[in-house]
Amino acid sequence: RASIMTGKYPTTVGITDWIPGAGGKNRPLITPEDIHELPLAEVTFPEVLNDAGYKTFFAGKWHLGNEGFFPEDQGFDINRGGNHKGSPPGGYFSPYKNPRLTDGAEGEYLTDRLAEESVQFIEAHTNSAPAELFLLYLSFYTVHTPIQAKKDLIEKYDNKLKSSPADPSPDSRDEHGNTTRLKQTNTAYASMVQSMDEAVGKVLQRIKKLGIEDNTIIFFMSDNGGLSTKPSKVNLCPTSNLPLRAGKGWLYEGGIREPMIIKWPGVTKPGSTCPQPVTSTDFYPTILDILDLPPRPDQHKDGVSLVPLLKGAADLPREAIYWHYPHYHGSGSRLGGAIRAGDYKLIEFFEDNTVELYNLKDDLGEQHDLAKKMPEKVAKLKKMLHQWRKATNAKMPRPNPNYRPE
């Protein structure tokens, strides 16, 4: 979320973990301290659009700071539901216990409510005289714990599961001493996904009905892979990311590869795909480029405009994409960093200083570690990763002198 707002890597901003983080004392490493809010000194892309005459609206999950650092403090004219919590304070059914969202009727579903708030904003600013330029930033809490869904949808997927043929394949597998779910059989999770799909559809249909579809640009992306891996072998996580390895919190593709769609009417071709990897730092410069607003290279220093790709180019002027996660996580993930350059991805783990290397073109599931077979490639990517960490002032964990193995 911080990288989308700022166009900077989390290492550059100083927020590399979820706020406030997992904590824990008896660990092999002492993890670096994060800041717990997006600094007001950052010029967010909503601030730039607001200054350019756009009405700006935020709905849903913010999780970038408490009072004084809410969406309305970072460039948004209107905030519906954005607060310091990472999951919905009162769950997915009203009453929401949300300081930035009034309660609805008893039983109202949060995902539906956020879509309705968004539709009302679009209508108000489209039907105004004259019609206003607007930015709608809809950040669903769905799909996130707690896993709470509508009863009728759960019943639908329960029946679908019961009528499906038995699958003799394993339900889970080991992941560095943790457990990864291999089958998507959680009917409540499936129900939540459907509710989100329907909510997205409601917004898109209203845009079409209002006659603004041809001059409305749409970005759609998830913030991380599904929660599929955790230490316990009992009560598996709610979803599977197969054929990708592991899930949320991990540096394998199950944690960092997400669905993404950009619709730019008259430019992008419906149904077309692009194999070039991109990342959330790219949103900021791309949006300014699309809207013919002056770039702010000192602000979105870690992103590049995706406009060339959207217009059909094969690649971007970028050598690699980087990740840095020096924190412990509830998924049991290993502290580390990663670099993606071309088809190759190298992961460096901080507790034991080991590395793994994968060719994602040939091995999307990351089952064949090439590190020992390709020492020159490892050395090159590892050097690039270390140089990037230095350039972005990435904070590193340090050994814990009081650690005692249990």
Side-chain angles (χ1 to χ4, degrees):
R1 286 174 291 281
S3 62
I4 292 175
M5 286 292 147
T6 65
K8 294 177 179 178
Y9 276 117
T11 48
T12 307
V13 178
I15 304 175
T16 51
D17 197 11
W18 63 277
I19 299 171
K25 294 182 179 180
N26 190 34
R27 307 274 198 173
L29 297 177
I30 298 174
T31 60
E33 290 189 14
D34 263 10
I35 57 175
H36 288 176
E37 60 279 319
L38 183 66
L40 299 180
E42 297 287 351
V43 181
T44 67
F45 87 87
E47 288 181 286
V48 176
L49 266 61
N50 197 276
D51 289 343
Y54 285 74
K55 299 297 292 185
T56 54
F57 174 89
F58 182 91
K61 179 176 177 175
W62 178 245
H63 202 196
L64 285 173
N66 211 327
E67 291 276 357
F69 297 89
F70 280 169
E72 56 267 38
D73 304 302
Q74 299 280 17
F76 289 99
D77 295 312
I78 302 171
N79 171 23
R80 295 289 185 265
N83 64 84
H84 64 290
K85 294 286 189 178
S87 58
Y92 285 91
F93 294 93
S94 184
Y96 301 120
K97 301 179 182 178
N98 187 319
R100 286 296 183 272
L101 187 69
T102 59
D103 290 333
E106 183 177 353
E108 179 185 72
Y109 197 59
L110 177 60
T111 308
D112 296 337
R113 171 66 177 276
L114 295 177
E116 181 58 33
E117 292 281 355
S118 299
V119 163
Q120 289 179 12
F121 168 79
I122 295 171
E123 288 183 333
H125 293 280
T126 301
N127 294 329
S128 63
E132 296 177 296
L133 299 172
F134 67 81
L135 164 68
L136 166 67
Y137 192 110
L138 175 52
S139 177
F140 288 109
Y141 283 94
T142 316
V143 177
H144 192 285
T145 54
I147 304 302
Q148 297 175 345
K150 300 176 184 178
K151 290 182 179 180
D152 60 328
L153 291 181
I154 294 176
E155 183 178 353
K156 168 188 171 179
Y157 286 103
D158 279 343
N159 292 333
K160 183 176 181 180
L161 183 62
K162 291 175 184 177
S163 63
S164 300
D167 182 356
S169 63
D171 292 331
S172 63
R173 70 181 174 204
D174 178 78
E175 184 59 78
H176 292 286
N178 299 278
T179 304
T180 294
R181 186 185 188 116
L182 300 180
K183 297 177 183 176
Q184 172 47 289
T185 55
N186 187 311
T187 57
Y189 189 93
S191 302
M192 293 181 76
V193 171
Q194 177 171 333
S195 290
M196 187 188 71
D197 286 348
E198 291 173 347
V200 172
K202 181 175 183 178
V203 174
L204 298 184
Q205 288 169 8
R206 193 60 55 92
I207 288 172
K208 185 175 183 178
K209 184 178 180 181
L210 290 169
I212 59 172
E213 183 180 25
D214 290 340
N215 62 342
T216 300
I217 299 150
I218 297 167
F219 285 65
F220 175 92
M221 194 180 82
S222 177
D223 59 349
N224 46 249
L227 182 61
S228 70
T229 308
K230 66 178 182 179
S232 175
K233 294 188 178 183
V234 181
N235 297 325
L236 296 177
C237 282
T239 193
S240 168
N241 296 311
L242 284 182
L244 307 181
R245 182 174 176 178
K248 178 180 180 179
W250 292 74
L251 290 168
Y252 295 118
E253 292 296 278
I256 63 177
R257 178 184 290 246
E258 298 92 29
M260 181 176 177
I261 300 169
I262 298 179
K263 179 186 178 183
W264 183 3
V267 178
T268 52
K269 297 179 180 179
S272 60
T273 60
C274 175
Q276 186 71 225
V278 301
T279 189
S280 49
T281 58
D282 301 332
F283 282 32
Y284 196 141
T286 302
I287 290 169
L288 298 193
D289 197 358
I290 289 175
L291 301 179
D292 291 324
L293 295 175
R296 298 197 175 212
D298 291 338
Q299 174 61 54
H300 52 69
K301 61 176 67 176
D302 297 325
V304 299
S305 173
L306 304 180
V307 166
L309 294 182
L310 300 176
K311 291 184 175 180
D315 52 30
L316 291 170
R318 173 166 56 199
E319 192 173 15
I321 295 175
Y322 302 88
W323 294 263
H324 184 65
Y325 195 61
H327 306 281
Y328 291 101
H329 190 265
S331 65
S333 61
R334 305 173 69 194
L335 287 71
I339 173 175
R340 166 77 185 269
D343 295 328
Y344 288 91
K345 187 175 87 176
L346 178 135
I347 307 175
E348 180 180 26
F349 298 105
F350 296 153
E351 282 192 348
D352 56 11
N353 296 312
T354 59
V355 297
E356 295 176 6
L357 177 70
Y358 299 98
N359 183 327
L360 298 180
K361 182 178 180 181
D362 300 332
D363 180 25
L364 184 62
E366 295 170 295
Q367 297 300 303
H368 306 288
D369 181 8
L370 304 175
K372 293 182 179 179
K373 295 181 179 179
M374 304 180 71
E376 293 182 358
K377 176 67 75 173
V378 167
K380 178 182 179 180
L381 295 182
K382 191 174 180 181
K383 181 179 179 180
M384 291 171 63
L385 180 58
H386 289 192
Q387 289 175 337
W388 170 81
R389 287 208 295 255
K390 183 177 180 180
T392 61
N393 196 32
K395 296 178 181 178
M396 295 293 292
R398 65 185 193 276
N400 181 0
N402 299 317
Y403 172 64
R404 297 293 182 270
E406 296 179 352

